[in-house]
Amino acid sequence: MTELQHRPTALLVMEERRRDDVYPEAVLKEIGTLVDLREPLTRERLAEDPSALVGVEILLSGWGAPVLDSVLLGHAPDLCAVLVAAGSVRPLTTPEFWARELPIVSAAAANAVPVAEFTLAQVLLGLKQVHRISREIRERKAYPPDPRVAGAYRSRVGLLGLGEIGALVASHLRGFDVEVLASDPVVDAATAESLGVRLVGLDELFATCPVVSLHAPLLPETEGLVNGELVARMGIGATLINTARGAVVDEPSVIPVLTERPDLTAILDVTWPEPPEPDSPLYTLPNVVLTPHLAGALGAERARMGELVAAELRRFVLGEPLRYAVAPDRAHLRA
């Protein structure tokens, strides 16, 4: 192992309630071999005393990261890198931060793993129309004699978005005998082909795929992108899965379609607002399955993000290239 010539000073700032999950003892021990780690703080404590950043060379974070504005950065003249055990870096970065040209690491690749696993499970259930058939059995108190479902044999699966998570879902689906279609305006045909995916327009995606899974970031151009008109084009018994951002779905126009089309199923791990308002039809529509961000990293799964940060930290202090640094021109695409 290469001997460290300098042990940087590091500070961990994130919310307390998930800190031990993200940075368990084994991960902190690994980090402690690389840096001099100060006592952790929360974003609120740091706001009360921003001078705690004086002398800090590496900022570690996760959920509840501090917003790196001119005030905090003014107290961090020695800051050399920021490593975030979470998916998006948008909540903490500012123009002042990017002007410093500091490397920032995202653990989106680690958080993508459980989301892609959850999605894969729901895609396979959707191709069998498990949720639809289950509720019909409950309503009729009888089994259907010969259910007609797409199944995972030469059926189409649609992905809206081929970012970190969408690409991983596509990779998982390569192990099945299905055709994967995707819609993503920032991905070229060659990249899609390398993922085993064919790019199509939104209309074709929704009209021809028995299962459509959403993985688009929330941007001005994607807000409300999935509307009632698109969902109404889905075939009989189709399934819509959203593990991305709730506001990508235009709920006011989609809810009437789900009401009129009990054959459709919507798996909503995210909504907008979140949670839905108490009187929202999403709670009572039988063809809507609501889950509270179950797709994302929970419990022990969160340690995967801390492990990624620890590995990147080792690369940084040894002067090796970072694997998960976020380019400034790509930061806005991380939801």
Side-chain angles (χ1 to χ4, degrees):
M1 182 181 296
T2 304
E3 185 177 350
L4 301 180
Q5 301 300 312
H6 168 64
R7 285 176 59 85
T9 298
L11 176 66
L12 170 58
V13 181
M14 68 172 292
E15 62 180 35
E16 287 185 9
R17 69 187 179 98
R18 289 186 277 196
R19 189 172 64 207
D20 290 345
D21 285 344
V22 177
Y23 293 96
E25 185 177 350
V27 172
L28 288 179
K29 184 176 180 180
E30 169 71 8
I31 289 172
T33 67
L34 302 168
V35 298
D36 291 327
L37 187 61
R38 294 182 177 178
E39 284 297 311
L41 296 175
T42 62
R43 175 172 55 195
E44 293 75 18
R45 288 284 304 279
L46 182 61
E48 294 171 1
D49 182 18
S51 66
L53 283 171
V54 174
V56 171
E57 296 163 85
I58 298 174
L59 178 66
L60 307 176
S61 194
W63 283 290
V67 178
L68 296 174
D69 56 16
S70 58
V71 175
L72 286 186
L73 291 170
H75 287 84
D78 299 319
L79 190 63
C80 299
V82 179
L83 291 82
V84 186
S88 177
V89 299
R90 281 198 289 174
L92 71 153
T93 53
T94 63
E96 293 85 0
F97 170 81
W98 293 116
R100 286 275 293 266
E101 298 184 346
L102 300 173
I104 183 167
V105 164
S106 161
N111 190 53
V113 174
V115 180
E117 291 170 347
F118 178 95
T119 301
L120 176 63
Q122 295 299 339
V123 165
L124 295 175
L125 290 174
L127 289 173
K128 283 287 192 178
Q129 296 190 29
V130 167
H131 293 292
R132 178 185 69 82
I133 293 172
S134 175
R135 58 180 182 267
E136 288 181 358
I137 289 173
R138 190 179 304 111
E139 292 165 1
R140 299 173 183 174
K141 295 182 173 59
Y143 282 14
D146 184 21
R148 307 300 294 175
V149 300
Y153 178 66
R154 299 185 180 177
S155 297
R156 286 182 169 181
V157 175
L159 304 178
L160 176 54
L162 282 175
E164 198 93 50
I165 297 170
L168 187 54
V169 172
S171 176
H172 288 338
L173 288 170
R174 295 185 80 162
F176 298 87
D177 197 357
V178 297
E179 180 185 8
V180 182
L181 276 55
S183 183
D184 191 324
V186 301
V187 171
D188 58 37
T191 301
E193 185 178 359
S194 71
L195 294 169
V197 173
R198 180 165 67 86
L199 292 175
V200 297
L202 278 178
D203 287 350
E204 182 176 353
L205 193 78
F206 279 80
T208 68
C209 295
V211 177
V212 175
S213 186
L214 311 184
H215 302 287
L218 181 57
L219 305 170
E221 54 268 38
T222 63
E223 185 173 353
L225 179 63
V226 178
N227 56 29
E229 184 178 349
L230 280 176
V231 175
R233 290 185 180 139
M234 299 182 81
I236 294 174
T239 299
L240 175 69
I241 304 166
N242 190 9
T243 59
R245 289 291 184 265
V248 171
V249 175
D250 178 26
E251 290 177 7
S253 69
V254 169
I255 286 173
V257 176
L258 294 174
T259 303
E260 296 164 7
R261 294 275 309 275
D263 62 289
L264 299 177
T265 299
I267 311 292
L268 305 180
D269 195 50
V270 290
T271 61
W272 185 255
E274 194 169 286
E277 298 291 350
D279 61 349
S280 172
L282 294 178
Y283 287 119
T284 54
L285 279 171
N287 55 343
V288 173
V289 178
L290 293 175
T291 53
H293 279 278
L294 289 184
L298 296 175
E301 292 175 324
R302 294 169 178 160
R304 188 184 277 119
M305 293 185 285
E307 291 168 358
L308 182 149
V309 163
E312 285 286 81
L313 178 62
R314 177 170 292 279
R315 294 185 189 98
F316 183 77
V317 298
L318 292 178
E320 299 173 357
L322 295 171
R323 292 182 60 190
Y324 299 104
V326 180
D329 62 345
R330 300 288 295 178
H332 72 288
L333 296 176
R334 293 187 179 274

